[in-house]
Amino acid sequence: MFASITYASPSAFISTRDRADLSISASETRPVSFHGEVVRNGFNLRIALRALGEAIWSEDVWESQADYESRILDPVITVHPDRLWFEAFSQDMSAYCALIVEPDSFRMEAAPSYGTTNIDFTAWLWGALGEMRTSRRTHFRVGAGGFEGSTASAGGRFESKVDIPDAWVRGFLQVQGAMALPGTRLSARAVDVLSAIRFLRFNKAKVSPRALRYEFEPDQCAKLVLEPWDHVVPLEGATHGYTEKRVIRTWGRRRLRLIEPLLPFADRVDVYLKGRALPSFYAVKLPGMTFLLGLSSFAGEGGFGGSSGFDLTTPTQDATHESAVLRVLAPAFHLSTAEVAERAGIPLADVSKTLTSLSYAGRVMYDLEAQRWRYRELFDPPIDAARFYPPDPRREAAAQLIKDGVSDIDVTAEDDRKVRKYSDPNTGEKIVRELVFRQWRITGNCAKEQTTIVVNAEERIIFGQCGCDFFKEHVLNRGPCAHMLALYQASASQRVVQ
């Protein structure tokens, strides 16, 4: 995919004794702007933007320098009334990062123009950010026009024609689906996460396994175990609602070093675990902003852009209601799935399918922390998403299984009751709340394999079992097997809310 990105001038950082101007150039093709003076959290903004740059140029696989330079792709910024979102990928597409800044950190100097665009974020700018100081008034500007005061040596208007790999586009789109997957959320102390990272820095594993193992015991705080040493890091205050022991293993731990510089200044780290060997997300909570790091499990298989299979757990894409959903979501900027369904007058399951379809086309994004969908046009004009998703052999095999016949289908509606324990942020009082989630348990016989899946109210596969070799080898690490997908499709008409 070829994309032409034109900037009126390079991004620049210019400082004097009393004033600094951080001017980030946005693509001229999309009129997005944000101008304000940094009035609080300036130090956090500096270290978070530098962490963004570190993530952009990081990778976990070896390549030649020429290949490395050719794959640097500009970050994306989304300006909304309540948030500024910077998004980028690491070079190997194994790490996704987003810097989410609250506008309250700025005193607005002009009315913003909302939308999404690319920004010019160079190694030079990354280095210059080290000169930001809270002792100087800093003016922060994002815009498509040239900035006054830019030095002549920085150059004028320039155009970048980038051949964006299909895998990069696919990964940037798939990460939204990965964030929307159900999972486990923990709120950990920053010092505990830092302790784990420091242990890994000074201890090199020479044997396998090399996972991060999160362990949950009833009525105890979660703990993190570092393999292969079985080194335990207690996560003090990281409560959970599990009533029986559970273990979740994740990989990609070396890339946690990307958030290491932020942790000494963070209030906490919210950890989102999507399941064994599935993507995990670490939201570093700094005053006025959040730095979100998403880790795929296996860098060597294309990271988020590879065929990891977690997208197969999402509901079948359906473009039927796209126009109606966008009419509701665009003016509101962000809504939950239920709010979109209510305002559009469309069943929840259909809205979930439509939002999934829109996310895989780059037209909406998922706000992991708020669990809301945001209107975000990643491409202008919108792309044909189908070209970035080659036919999946499991989907094709599932289609054949359905033709051959799926028998003994039994669909049972059940309520999944979960106990959530947390502390009131104002009083510190312990609060226990029971939440009820409606889900479907489906069993059936696919090609002589007895198969079970559990589908939640948003039409996502959240659990499964099968006797086939694929499931025995991978469990759900690579997503559902063909038998699960066939059962999912064959039971669609019976998963109806009465």
Side-chain angles (χ1 to χ4, degrees):
M1 172 181 174
F2 282 92
S4 180
I5 304 173
T6 304
Y7 299 108
S9 63
S11 296
F13 180 79
I14 303 171
S15 63
T16 62
R17 185 178 65 179
D18 302 318
R19 174 188 173 112
D21 288 275
L22 174 57
S23 302
I24 299 179
S25 249
S27 174
E28 286 191 312
T29 59
R30 310 183 77 175
V32 177
S33 66
F34 184 92
H35 296 179
E37 179 185 352
V38 181
V39 294
R40 59 179 65 87
N41 305 316
F43 174 77
N44 295 334
L45 182 63
R46 183 187 95 190
I47 62 173
L49 283 171
R50 284 178 62 83
L52 182 77
E54 291 278 6
I56 293 170
W57 292 297
S58 72
E59 61 180 347
D60 252 3
V61 294
W62 185 91
E63 292 185 54
S64 70
Q65 186 66 21
D67 290 337
Y68 176 83
E69 293 293 337
S70 68
R71 291 178 55 191
I72 293 177
L73 300 172
D74 290 333
V76 171
I77 188 172
T78 296
V79 179
H80 276 185
D82 63 327
R83 293 287 188 273
L84 294 178
W85 287 70
F86 298 84
E87 297 177 89
F89 258 153
S90 63
Q91 292 305 293
D92 59 4
M93 295 176 288
S94 65
Y96 163 86
C97 58
L99 173 58
I100 308 159
V101 184
E102 299 172 8
D104 289 348
S105 296
F106 306 92
R107 179 181 60 81
M108 299 305 299
E109 298 179 322
S113 297
Y114 303 127
T116 300
T117 190
N118 293 94
I119 57 173
D120 176 48
F121 197 101
T122 63
W124 179 90
L125 180 65
W126 175 85
L129 287 171
E131 299 301 316
M132 281 184 66
R133 295 292 184 272
T134 55
S135 58
R136 292 191 290 260
R137 295 178 60 185
T138 299
H139 297 264
F140 176 86
R141 297 182 292 175
V142 177
F147 298 110
E148 294 182 3
S150 297
T151 61
S153 61
R157 175 175 279 100
F158 64 97
E159 182 178 15
S160 175
K161 291 186 177 179
V162 184
D163 182 10
I164 304 177
D166 285 1
W168 188 94
V169 178
R170 183 168 58 250
F172 215 87
L173 302 178
Q174 284 195 137
V175 74
Q176 305 302 322
M179 285 193 284
L181 292 172
T184 299
R185 175 185 175 275
L186 295 173
S187 186
R189 299 189 308 168
V191 68
D192 293 334
V193 179
L194 182 60
S195 174
I197 295 174
R198 292 284 170 85
F199 181 90
L200 292 170
R201 176 182 289 276
F202 296 109
N203 295 272
K204 303 300 181 183
K206 297 181 180 180
V207 297
S208 296
R210 301 176 184 180
L212 289 176
R213 193 169 78 233
Y214 287 88
E215 295 188 353
F216 306 91
E217 295 276 2
D219 300 320
Q220 296 183 24
C221 294
K223 60 184 178 182
L224 177 58
V225 183
L226 307 179
E227 299 177 348
W229 311 276
D230 281 344
H231 176 75
V232 177
V233 179
L235 301 179
E236 184 178 329
T239 58
H240 57 88
Y242 291 114
T243 57
E244 56 186 33
K245 183 176 180 179
R246 185 176 179 186
V247 174
I248 299 177
R249 301 176 78 225
T250 67
W251 281 263
R253 65 189 188 189
R254 285 189 299 178
R255 285 157 283 164
L256 283 176
R257 66 182 182 269
L258 295 171
I259 61 174
E260 184 178 0
L262 306 176
L263 295 176
F265 313 101
D267 296 328
R268 69 179 191 277
V269 179
D270 291 339
V271 183
Y272 297 84
L273 306 171
K274 299 304 180 180
R276 184 180 185 275
L278 291 175
S280 55
F281 297 88
Y282 295 79
V284 182
K285 306 297 292 185
L286 298 160
M289 61 201 69
T290 298
F291 189 91
L292 177 65
L293 177 67
L295 303 178
S296 68
S297 292
F298 302 97
E301 299 183 7
F304 284 104
S307 300
S308 56
F310 58 78
D311 56 303
L312 298 179
T313 66
T314 60
T316 305
Q317 299 180 42
D318 185 353
T320 305
H321 303 291
E322 281 189 358
S323 297
V325 167
L326 289 175
R327 277 198 304 269
V328 168
L329 184 59
F333 292 99
H334 57 88
L335 294 170
S336 68
T337 307
E339 288 170 341
V340 174
E342 180 181 357
R343 297 189 186 189
I346 302 172
L348 182 68
D350 291 343
V351 167
S352 184
K353 293 177 183 179
T354 302
L355 287 168
T356 299
S357 179
L358 288 169
S359 71
Y360 282 108
R363 309 197 68 183
V364 302
M365 64 187 295
Y366 190 73
D367 188 335
L368 177 65
E369 293 192 282
Q371 298 185 8
R372 300 169 75 81
W373 294 93
R374 287 182 176 270
Y375 176 64
R376 191 275 306 267
E377 292 281 5
L378 187 59
F379 303 102
D380 185 23
I383 61 170
D384 176 15
R387 61 162 289 195
F388 298 102
Y389 298 97
D392 189 282
R394 275 173 281 173
R395 290 194 191 277
E396 295 178 347
Q400 184 60 50
L401 286 170
I402 292 174
K403 288 182 180 179
D404 295 341
V406 180
S407 60
D408 302 325
I409 298 178
D410 179 67
V411 179
T412 304
E414 57 183 34
D415 292 336
D416 183 24
R417 299 180 180 272
K418 295 183 181 294
V419 176
R420 292 287 186 262
K421 302 177 182 179
Y422 59 95
S423 299
D424 186 292
N426 299 317
T427 66
E429 179 186 357
K430 296 291 183 181
I431 300 174
V432 179
R433 177 175 295 175
E434 183 181 55
L435 303 177
V436 181
F437 301 91
R438 171 56 57 88
Q439 59 189 28
W440 305 95
R441 179 175 293 273
I442 305 114
T443 60
N445 193 313
C446 303
K448 299 182 180 179
E449 297 291 353
Q450 190 64 30
T451 307
T452 300
I453 57 174
V454 176
V455 179
N456 69 6
E458 293 190 0
E459 290 288 288
R460 299 180 184 277
I461 299 174
I462 60 175
F463 175 79
Q465 286 185 325
C466 188
C468 69
D469 292 338
F470 183 90
F471 180 81
K472 290 177 181 177
E473 181 177 356
H474 301 294
V475 193
L476 284 174
N477 298 350
R478 293 290 183 272
C481 65
H483 305 95
M484 293 180 185
L485 292 175
L487 185 59
Y488 176 82
Q489 295 291 343
S491 64
S493 61
Q494 298 181 48
R495 300 195 306 270
V496 179
V497 178
Q498 300 297 329

